[in-house]
Amino acid sequence: MFELMIKNTIWVFNHPDPESIPSYYVSGLMPAEYMGIKKIVFLDNHNPEKLIDHFKPKIIIISKVFSTKVSELTKIAKRKKIKIISIFDDWSFENINRTKLNLPIAENSDVVIAKTKFAANEIFTNTNINCSVIPDPLRFKKNKIFEKIDEPIKACWFGMHTNHSTIIEELLNIEKMNIKIKLSFISNSFESIENFLMQNNFKNINVKLIFWNKTSNLDIVNSDVVVLPYPKDKKRLIKSSNRIIESLNLGRFTILSNVEQFSEFEKFTYFGDISKGLNWILNNNSKAKQITLDGQNYVNDNYSIQKICDKWINIFKNL
């Protein structure tokens, strides 16, 4: 029965290059590949009726949308009694344009997927739509734990340009700690970071800019520490844990802001002030290695692609 459902399912990506978007890769392409689901790119110049008539799906899974054209697809699918499962990344209701894209799709869906319970609660509070929670899986193979951390600390931050403000806001605090640090930024663009660096003369922070790519795990493991600042705002409240689990999976000591939505990882990270975490690690290498190892074991036990696809299988069984 399950095999037949999979055969009659298509997974829709509303972007010409799905692999270029990290969240698309882990929350869509990986589980689709693992379960053997057909992957379809659907863009503005595509005809939704023809797509449905060609593939004749019984189930359509829709990853994050960038165009209102996907709403047409869901309306036609619903009319034809096709089951619709939609996945929503970072749905902030403060973003009116994002809500205009998402809400019609959510209303036409039989199942709505969020990546965390906090994101699910936010959707329910604003739409009265219940969500199932399926986190992002680990993307990369695990790496050995860091050896020893000393000055200059080899650290990195990685993420999309939309999160640059989170690390920029921390740089002045890090500079004041008077700790020598080699800090790599791994991202898809650097305009805001370059502008900030031009306006400030850092004596303790040596910055390197690296473009995100399919093998960015190799860039991350060139550092011993990953810093992940999260402001306590609604935009970050609904974020996926994918950067946290990947940092631990790659054996990097992870300094993570003390935020409620990621308290799950408190005992596997330095959970607090980013600058103080950099100072703490210099005097606590042994403890840091142990909590990182514990964290690596935890994320591999709970966030492997197999574990995440087990959650998908339960969704199918309950359709």
Side-chain angles (χ1 to χ4, degrees), residues 138-178:
L138 294 168
R139 174 172 182 168
F140 300 113
K141 291 182 179 179
K142 74 176 182 179
N143 193 78
K144 66 180 181 179
I145 306 297
F146 67 90
E147 289 295 329
K148 187 178 188 300
I149 298 175
D150 206 344
E151 287 192 70
I153 297 174
K154 293 187 293 182
C156 75
W157 176 94
F158 64 97
M160 297 292 281
H161 69 281
T162 50
N163 291 311
H164 282 177
S165 62
T166 64
I167 184 61
I168 286 173
E169 291 166 4
E170 288 291 337
L171 289 179
L172 292 176
N173 293 329
I174 294 172
E175 174 71 11
K176 291 175 185 176
M177 294 297 292
N178 203 29

Side-chain angles (χ1 to χ4, degrees), residues 114-125 131-135 237-240 260-264 303:
K115 295 186 176 183
T116 70
K117 67 178 183 180
F118 289 88
N121 289 341
E122 187 73 3
I123 292 172
F124 180 77
T125 298
C131 296
S132 297
V133 175
I134 300 183
L237 181 67
I238 55 174
K239 287 289 184 180
S240 161
E260 181 185 8
Q261 64 269 33
F262 296 132
S263 59
E264 172 188 2
Y303 290 92

Side-chain angles (χ1 to χ4, degrees), residues 220-287:
I220 295 169
V221 299
N222 279 333
S223 297
D224 297 315
V225 178
V226 175
V227 292
L228 294 175
Y230 284 90
K232 293 181 179 180
D233 58 25
K234 283 192 173 182
K235 182 177 179 181
R236 274 79 192 191
L237 181 67
I238 55 174
K239 287 289 184 180
S240 161
S241 62
N242 55 8
R243 291 189 297 161
I244 303 166
I245 63 172
E246 211 63 74
S247 300
L248 292 169
N249 177 50
L250 292 173
R252 303 305 91 187
F253 180 65
T254 305
I255 303 176
L256 173 64
S257 297
N258 180 351
V259 287
E260 181 185 8
Q261 64 269 33
F262 296 132
S263 59
E264 172 188 2
F265 305 102
E266 180 174 1
K267 62 183 179 181
F268 307 123
T269 63
Y270 183 93
F271 197 66
D273 182 83
I274 301 299
S275 300
K276 290 180 180 178
L278 289 166
N279 188 57
W280 182 89
I281 184 61
L282 291 174
N283 301 304
N284 294 276
N285 265 232
S286 295
K287 186 174 181 180

Side-chain angles (χ1 to χ4, degrees), residues 44-296:
D44 279 353
N45 61 332
H46 294 160
N47 185 308
E49 189 96 45
K50 287 183 178 179
L51 182 144
I52 289 174
D53 288 344
H54 176 76
F55 289 102
K56 297 179 172 55
K58 301 293 185 184
I59 303 167
I60 297 177
I61 303 173
I62 298 173
S63 282
K64 181 176 181 176
V65 300
F66 299 94
S67 163
T68 55
K69 188 81 170 183
V70 181
S71 294
E72 295 179 36
L73 177 65
T74 61
K75 287 177 184 177
I76 294 169
K78 188 172 184 179
R79 190 180 72 232
K80 292 177 178 287
K81 302 189 185 308
I82 297 168
K83 297 289 186 180
I84 302 167
I85 303 171
S86 54
I87 308 168
F88 294 109
D89 295 3
D90 305 342
W91 186 353
S92 170
F93 287 85
E94 294 176 345
N95 185 333
I96 296 173
N97 291 330
R98 171 51 55 189
T99 298
K100 285 181 179 178
L101 284 174
N102 287 354
L103 188 56
I105 295 168
E107 290 175 336
N108 283 328
S109 296
D110 297 278
V111 179
V112 172
I113 305 291
K115 295 186 176 183
T116 70
K117 67 178 183 180
F118 289 88
N121 289 341
E122 187 73 3
I123 292 172
F124 180 77
T125 298
N126 287 277
T127 67
N128 208 36
I129 295 173
N130 285 306
C131 296
S132 297
V133 175
I134 300 183
D136 287 334
L138 294 168
R139 174 172 182 168
F140 300 113
K141 291 182 179 179
K142 74 176 182 179
N143 193 78
K144 66 180 181 179
I145 306 297
F146 67 90
E147 289 295 329
K148 187 178 188 300
I149 298 175
D150 206 344
E151 287 192 70
I153 297 174
K154 293 187 293 182
C156 75
W157 176 94
F158 64 97
M160 297 292 281
H161 69 281
T162 50
N163 291 311
H164 282 177
S165 62
T166 64
I167 184 61
I168 286 173
E169 291 166 4
E170 288 291 337
L171 289 179
L172 292 176
N173 293 329
I174 294 172
E175 174 71 11
K176 291 175 185 176
M177 294 297 292
N178 203 29
I179 296 172
K180 297 298 181 184
I181 178 171
K182 293 181 178 180
L183 182 60
S184 295
F185 290 91
I186 305 169
S187 190
N188 61 317
S189 71
F190 299 103
E191 184 178 355
S192 58
I193 292 174
E194 288 174 328
N195 289 339
F196 184 78
L197 293 174
M198 288 175 62
Q199 296 168 19
N200 294 273
N201 182 25
F202 292 111
K203 295 180 179 179
N204 296 314
I205 306 173
N206 183 6
V207 172
K208 183 178 182 180
L209 306 179
I210 304 171
F211 279 100
W212 177 267
N213 58 79
K214 295 175 184 178
T215 58
S216 280
N217 56 312
L218 302 179
D219 297 314
I220 295 169
V221 299
N222 279 333
S223 297
D224 297 315
V225 178
V226 175
V227 292
L228 294 175
Y230 284 90
K232 293 181 179 180
D233 58 25
K234 283 192 173 182
K235 182 177 179 181
R236 274 79 192 191
L237 181 67
I238 55 174
K239 287 289 184 180
S240 161
S241 62
N242 55 8
R243 291 189 297 161
I244 303 166
I245 63 172
E246 211 63 74
S247 300
L248 292 169
N249 177 50
L250 292 173
R252 303 305 91 187
F253 180 65
T254 305
I255 303 176
L256 173 64
S257 297
N258 180 351
V259 287
E260 181 185 8
Q261 64 269 33
F262 296 132
S263 59
E264 172 188 2
F265 305 102
E266 180 174 1
K267 62 183 179 181
F268 307 123
T269 63
Y270 183 93
F271 197 66
D273 182 83
I274 301 299
S275 300
K276 290 180 180 178
L278 289 166
N279 188 57
W280 182 89
I281 184 61
L282 291 174
N283 301 304
N284 294 276
N285 265 232
S286 295
K287 186 174 181 180
K289 288 184 77 168
Q290 186 58 55
I291 65 173
T292 302
L293 178 60
D294 292 343
Q296 186 180 65

